[in-house]
Amino acid sequence: MREQRKELCASLNEKLFLCPEIHPETPALNEIRPILWDNGTLKLLDQTRLPAEQAIVYLNDYRGAVAAIRDMQVRGAPAIGVTAAYAVVMAAKELPTDDRTVFLNALREAGDVINAARPTAVNLQWAVRRMIEVAESETEMGRVNERLLAEAKTIQAEDEAINRRMGDFGKELMPDGGSVLTHCNTGALATSAFGTALGVIRAGWEAGRRFQVFNTETRPFLQGARLTSWEFQQLGIPATLMVDSAAGIMMQRGEISCVITGADRIAANGDTANKIGTYSLAVLAKENGIPFYVAAPTSTVDLSLASGDEIEIEQRAGEEVTHFRGAPTAPVGVEAINPAFDVTPHRYITAIVTESGVVRSPYVESLKLAVAGS
Ligand code: MRU
């Protein structure tokens, strides 16, 4: 039976990115893993093509990985962190290792290029820093590439384990008999596997809690409509899609029991940058007396920033607002502004689910403990 299942997984692997060899103990057929390192090639499930097509991007050099992050073929804070780690592996492979200083300087330069791919999600810089530190700690140059690959694989495996832990902690927050609203895509596609906020919803569902799920379409890139709705379908969890601007009426009419989102960067005081529209949801939740939860690994916490005012907000091309897949959705020549993220002040956040546990205000203290305990 297990062999049969493995064979089926292998044949579906190119389609759904199922990868039983990464997690032999959980070879669920509907497990989505969007990032695969396959013998020197980085394979990504192209998130710009979903849900219409399950296409794979094949990458053999780090510049390609930078482009894939920038163009959002891979997206979501933890997923771009994992991709960045493999990008460092590919950058290192291009470099001669005979002179350690020259190698390290060139690797740091490549690290800067990778870091610049997208500015808001701190997981990218966190992963690059972790990888460069591994290279710096290796004095035996014959071993450096092998060490880097092992570290990237560890970052990827840890991410999944962390998400499952967050799911365990967060499932208690899922309202049996109620309803949950989520924003953007925070599922397996945004991570190595399982997801953050979507992972918590999944864990609640798997624990037998039954609640209605609503997800926003998430203009303009439609991560909610295209990716989250697709993931819920793969998981067999019924979810209802709504336009972003329906959140107000849904909360006002008592249709939402709680909101849960992911995060791209959390400042030391708990202020949280996440997909544009998150702040509006949090304000609406407070106005309507609804708990607002964030789920994020501690690699998303940036203790070097005192508050969210210091978080750089990525501005993306106006064409993402005026066009969809090349087709205009606004008059030709119209100007559009396109901030990709916003910052939710900590006072709107009821609790943050991390792999160290569920933390609450005062976040200055609780986040520090969560990071130390991770
Ligand atoms: O622009 P994206 O799609 O990379 O933005 C993703 C988000 O805002 C997610 O909510 C966040 O990265 C958390 S993902 C687990």
Side-chain angles (χ1 to χ4, degrees):
M1 175 63 191
R2 188 170 167 88
E3 275 318 298
Q4 258 177 341
R5 205 169 197 200
K6 257 182 143 171
E7 244 172 62
L8 184 56
C9 284
S11 69
L12 285 172
N13 190 23
E14 294 284 287
K15 261 193 124 187
L16 274 183
F17 266 56
L18 302 160
C19 196
E21 67 274 16
I22 291 183
H23 254 271
E25 70 276 19
T26 55
L29 286 180
N30 51 8
E31 208 63 71
I32 301 158
R33 291 192 173 82
I35 304 166
L36 283 183
W37 180 262
D38 186 6
N39 214 8
T41 299
L42 184 63
K43 297 182 182 178
L44 303 175
L45 185 53
D46 187 344
Q47 300 193 30
T48 62
R49 311 266 286 272
L50 283 168
E53 249 183 290
Q54 290 166 37
I56 297 170
V57 188
Y58 297 85
L59 300 170
N60 293 101
D61 76 291
Y62 84 95
R63 290 170 204 83
V66 169
I69 293 171
R70 189 193 55 223
D71 300 340
M72 292 173 63
Q73 288 174 307
V74 58
R75 31 86 24 225
I80 62 180
V82 171
T83 305
Y86 285 116
V88 174
V89 171
M90 292 190 284
K93 246 176 49 192
E94 285 180 15
L95 299 172
T97 50
D98 41 347
D99 184 319
R100 187 163 178 268
T101 310
V102 172
F103 173 85
L104 286 176
N105 284 338
L107 194 63
R108 287 185 199 109
E109 271 172 34
D112 291 343
V113 174
I114 299 164
N115 276 333
R118 291 190 75 190
T120 303
V122 73
N123 306 60
L124 178 71
Q125 292 154 29
W126 169 88
V128 169
R129 195 180 325 114
R130 186 164 151 176
M131 294 295 287
I132 303 278
E133 278 169 11
V134 165
E136 287 168 345
S137 72
E138 181 56 65
T139 48
E140 179 56 68
M141 291 311 284
R143 288 200 57 216
V144 71
N145 284 325
E146 181 192 318
R147 286 270 320 274
L148 284 169
L149 179 57
E151 189 68 9
K153 287 183 174 173
T154 302
I155 289 174
Q156 182 171 20
E158 277 177 8
D159 180 56
E160 177 170 350
I162 283 169
N163 293 338
R164 288 181 188 275
R165 236 173 19 248
M166 286 195 291
D168 261 351
F169 285 123
K171 66 186 178 205
E172 308 301 331
L173 302 172
M174 295 297 97
D176 206 10
S179 58
V180 178
L181 171 63
T182 190
H183 187 51
C184 195
N185 173 264
T186 60
L189 291 170
T191 62
S192 295
F194 202 79
T196 58
L198 195 152
V200 169
I201 293 173
R202 171 178 168 175
W205 194 263
E206 286 175 352
R209 294 184 174 224
R210 287 295 169 262
F211 45 86
Q212 170 71 50
V213 178
F214 292 99
N215 65 290
T216 60
E217 56 177 356
T218 320
R219 280 277 297 153
F221 210 72
L222 300 184
Q223 289 94 329
R226 295 187 302 106
L227 308 176
T228 301
S229 296
W230 182 76
E231 277 202 49
F232 279 129
Q233 274 191 347
Q234 301 301 316
L235 292 168
I237 299 176
T240 303
L241 179 65
M242 60 188 228
V243 295
D244 302 353
S245 43
I249 185 83
M250 292 294 285
M251 291 193 206
Q252 200 176 44
R253 295 272 161 102
E255 301 287 345
I256 308 291
S257 319
C258 74
V259 182
I260 186 162
T261 73
D264 285 83
R265 194 183 294 236
I266 302 175
N269 69 347
D271 291 354
T272 293
N274 190 52
K275 181 51 54 197
I276 192 76
T278 303
Y279 172 41
S280 321
L281 293 179
V283 174
L284 279 169
K286 185 153 192 134
E287 165 71 14
N288 289 283
I290 295 166
F292 182 90
Y293 303 119
V294 169
T298 53
S299 55
T300 303
V301 179
D302 185 350
L303 293 178
S304 75
L305 303 184
S307 83
D309 297 346
E310 296 169 56
I311 300 176
E312 186 181 346
I313 298 296
E314 177 182 9
Q315 298 290 334
R316 293 188 64 86
E319 284 73 45
E320 285 181 1
V321 179
T322 58
H323 290 70
F324 185 69
R325 288 195 172 136
T329 54
V332 175
V334 82
E335 245 184 62
I337 185 161
N338 188 15
F341 301 95
D342 58 26
V343 175
T344 300
H346 60 90
R347 65 179 179 280
Y348 292 106
I349 300 171
T350 311
I352 302 177
V353 182
T354 73
E355 75 273 27
S356 305
V358 178
V359 305
R360 291 174 192 264
S361 178
Y363 292 110
V364 173
E365 281 134 49
S366 61
L367 282 174
K368 218 185 283 168
L369 287 174
V371 171
S374 64

